[in-house]
Amino acid sequence: MKKNIITVSREFGSGGRTIGKTVAQRLGIPYYDKELVKQVALESGFDPKYIEEQGEFAPGKTHFAFSFLGRGVPGVMGGMTAADFLWTIQHNVILDLAEKGPCVIVGRCADYILRDRTDCLHTFIHASMDFRAHRIVRLYGESEVAPEKRLQDKDARRRINYKHYTDREWGMSQNYHVCLDSSVLGIDKCVDIILDLAENCPDPTE
Amino acid sequence: MKKNIITVSREFGSGGRTIGKTVAQRLGIPYYDKELVKQVALESGFDPKYIEEQGEFAPGKTHFAFSFLGRGVPGVMGGMTAADFLWTIQHNVILDLAEKGPCVIVGRCADYILRDRTDCLHTFIHASMDFRAHRIVRLYGESEVAPEKRLQDKDARRRINYKHYTDREWGMSQNYHVCLDSSVLGIDKCVDIILDLAENCPDPTE
């Protein structure tokens, strides 16, 4: 069975975004990450910068720091927090994107949102702390915070966000069809494996 | 970097054992599972049947139901439970086997025990409940206990054993270099991926 939609979940600094982008380029299909964010923003009236910053992180932190349909509103709308509202919008956008056709979607709990579709390949990319620390310093430069601390903080926020909205453990292998350690296998090998699976995944029920 | 030693951890009924055995055959290297058990037994004086039954399960259940060096002994030896003693023996046997040369080792926390070797490929095989339930009935026949219950019990025992001895979560992707869902990818594709990685795994540090 061909896997039309590839979701890529990833640890910060593991190269998961690069892998997702390369897979999309090689397959000639759309890649959604910041693009997805823009689309969510257009649909919701949220400030794109707010969505980009908060879309994958722990809920309940900055409910008041956004504009909704151009108006300042408090953090709760009809019993729904701003984070919950954002989740609902992102959820629907991801379902719509999957309906439109083949694509790669990075992050945003897409593996969970699309769990019932049989034409998806759900992937998770992780890497050793050392590999990721070197990578983020090389890509994003030094900062006052040690790279290991930056990684731990970002991972923790993704883990809490994922748990909150999916009730599943972020990075637990059973949530994904394939999990790869990019620090051992290499970025290129991860791309090759995902490409092969996307195009030649057998249907064990056949 | 060539990966000489392949560890296969797996959910019961996922086909992990079959995958490990096939990989070993195709690479022409030893496969350790029941063979490993025998070796442990020879070294420890434990009854092979006891080790086979308890070697991967939760500690502390049947401390009194074994013979040690041919004598009946109580469950605690010098502050060490029988299960802990068995763990120590298995630990050393696995280190020895890895020293001897290329091989495939299924189960027994080998991923953890060999975590510091750079020539290992650590894999985890999982599958949907439905796939596994059908598989164990086909392979092992019906029993009075529903297959789903048999799977849950066996998984729980492996999870507790792994947590107890490694302080890690069984099935958490970060413990392994590659995790594969055999119910989606198929047994043959899992074999192919592991064979490819064993022979052509790049060294990202090169």
Side-chain angles (χ1 to χ4, degrees):
Chain A
M1 178 181 288
K2 199 161 161 23
K3 299 297 183 188
N4 294 313
I5 295 147
I6 298 155
T7 69
V8 182
S9 306
R10 76 293 180 214
E11 286 184 339
F12 182 51
S14 67
R17 236 178 122 254
T18 304
I19 290 167
K21 198 172 264 182
T22 311
V23 166
Q25 280 169 349
R26 299 263 293 271
L27 290 173
I29 61 177
Y31 163 84
Y32 298 114
D33 184 2
K34 293 203 175 179
E35 282 310 307
L36 170 68
V37 167
K38 274 188 209 148
Q39 198 151 340
V40 172
L42 287 170
E43 204 158 315
S44 67
F46 273 84
D47 183 294
K49 201 166 162 52
Y50 169 77
I51 295 175
E52 197 170 321
E53 282 171 1
Q54 301 300 323
E56 288 189 302
F57 293 143
K61 290 221 166 170
T62 54
H63 289 170
F64 299 92
F66 65 95
S67 68
F68 174 62
L69 297 175
R71 299 167 307 202
V73 292
V76 178
M77 294 158 287
M80 207 183 233
T81 64
D84 289 345
F85 182 73
L86 176 57
W87 162 260
T88 307
I89 301 274
Q90 285 196 162
H91 184 278
N92 293 341
V93 168
I94 286 171
L95 288 175
D96 286 351
L97 289 173
E99 271 305 306
K100 276 185 191 160
C103 62
V104 173
I105 306 176
V106 171
R108 324 250 151 195
C109 306
D111 57 288
Y112 173 80
I113 293 165
L114 301 175
R115 67 195 178 283
D116 292 332
R117 288 187 72 113
T118 55
D119 61 344
C120 292
L121 181 72
H122 301 305
T123 74
F124 184 79
I125 310 295
H126 57 96
S128 68
M129 183 58 82
D130 194 47
F131 176 92
R132 298 195 289 143
H134 279 91
R135 202 163 183 280
I136 65 166
V137 168
R138 184 161 50 81
L139 290 179
Y140 309 117
E142 298 272 4
S143 88
E144 283 181 10
V145 184
E148 289 78 6
K149 176 88 176 80
R150 288 158 69 191
L151 291 167
Q152 280 160 355
D153 288 352
K154 205 138 179 173
D155 286 349
R157 292 170 78 185
R158 285 187 185 162
R159 189 177 303 114
I160 292 166
N161 180 72
Y162 189 80
K163 178 73 179 175
H164 180 83
Y165 287 111
T166 71
D167 199 26
R168 307 201 301 192
E169 299 301 326
W170 184 71
M172 186 57 84
S173 63
Q174 287 91 338
N175 302 336
Y176 316 93
H177 301 144
V178 55
C179 302
L180 302 168
D181 182 334
S182 57
S183 57
V184 169
L185 311 182
I187 301 275
D188 293 344
K189 182 58 86 179
C190 293
V191 168
D192 289 345
I193 290 173
I194 294 171
L195 280 173
D196 175 44
L197 291 176
E199 297 199 305
N200 305 308
C201 201
D203 185 350
T205 61
E206 272 175 3
Chain B
M1 179 181 287
K2 198 160 162 23
K3 299 297 185 189
N4 294 314
I5 295 147
I6 298 155
T7 69
V8 182
S9 307
R10 77 292 182 214
E11 286 184 340
F12 182 50
S14 68
R17 237 179 121 254
T18 303
I19 290 167
K21 199 172 265 184
T22 311
V23 166
Q25 280 169 349
R26 298 262 293 271
L27 290 173
I29 62 178
Y31 162 85
Y32 297 113
D33 185 1
K34 294 203 175 179
E35 282 309 308
L36 170 68
V37 167
K38 274 188 208 148
Q39 198 151 342
V40 171
L42 287 172
E43 205 159 313
S44 68
F46 274 85
D47 182 296
K49 200 165 165 52
Y50 169 78
I51 294 174
E52 196 171 322
E53 282 170 2
Q54 301 299 324
E56 289 189 301
F57 293 145
K61 290 217 165 169
T62 54
H63 289 170
F64 299 92
F66 66 95
S67 67
F68 173 63
L69 298 174
R71 298 168 306 199
V73 292
V76 179
M77 294 158 287
M80 207 183 231
T81 65
D84 289 345
F85 181 72
L86 175 56
W87 161 261
T88 306
I89 300 276
Q90 285 196 161
H91 184 279
N92 293 341
V93 169
I94 286 171
L95 289 176
D96 286 350
L97 289 174
E99 272 304 306
K100 277 184 192 162
C103 60
V104 173
I105 305 175
V106 172
R108 325 249 149 193
C109 306
D111 58 289
Y112 173 79
I113 293 166
L114 301 175
R115 67 194 178 283
D116 293 331
R117 287 186 72 113
T118 55
D119 61 344
C120 292
L121 181 71
H122 300 305
T123 73
F124 185 80
I125 310 295
H126 57 94
S128 68
M129 183 59 81
D130 195 46
F131 176 93
R132 297 194 290 143
H134 279 90
R135 201 163 185 279
I136 64 166
V137 168
R138 185 161 51 80
L139 290 180
Y140 309 116
E142 300 271 5
S143 86
E144 283 181 11
V145 183
E148 290 78 7
K149 176 87 176 82
R150 288 158 68 191
L151 290 167
Q152 279 159 357
D153 289 351
K154 205 138 178 173
D155 286 349
R157 294 170 78 186
R158 284 187 184 162
R159 189 177 303 114
I160 293 167
N161 179 72
Y162 189 80
K163 179 74 178 172
H164 180 83
Y165 287 110
T166 70
D167 200 26
R168 307 201 301 194
E169 299 301 325
W170 185 69
M172 184 59 84
S173 63
Q174 288 89 339
N175 301 337
Y176 316 94
H177 301 144
V178 55
C179 302
L180 303 168
D181 183 334
S182 57
S183 58
V184 169
L185 311 183
I187 301 275
D188 292 346
K189 182 58 87 177
C190 293
V191 169
D192 289 345
I193 290 172
I194 294 171
L195 280 173
D196 175 42
L197 290 176
E199 297 199 308
N200 306 307
C201 200
D203 185 350
T205 60
E206 272 175 5

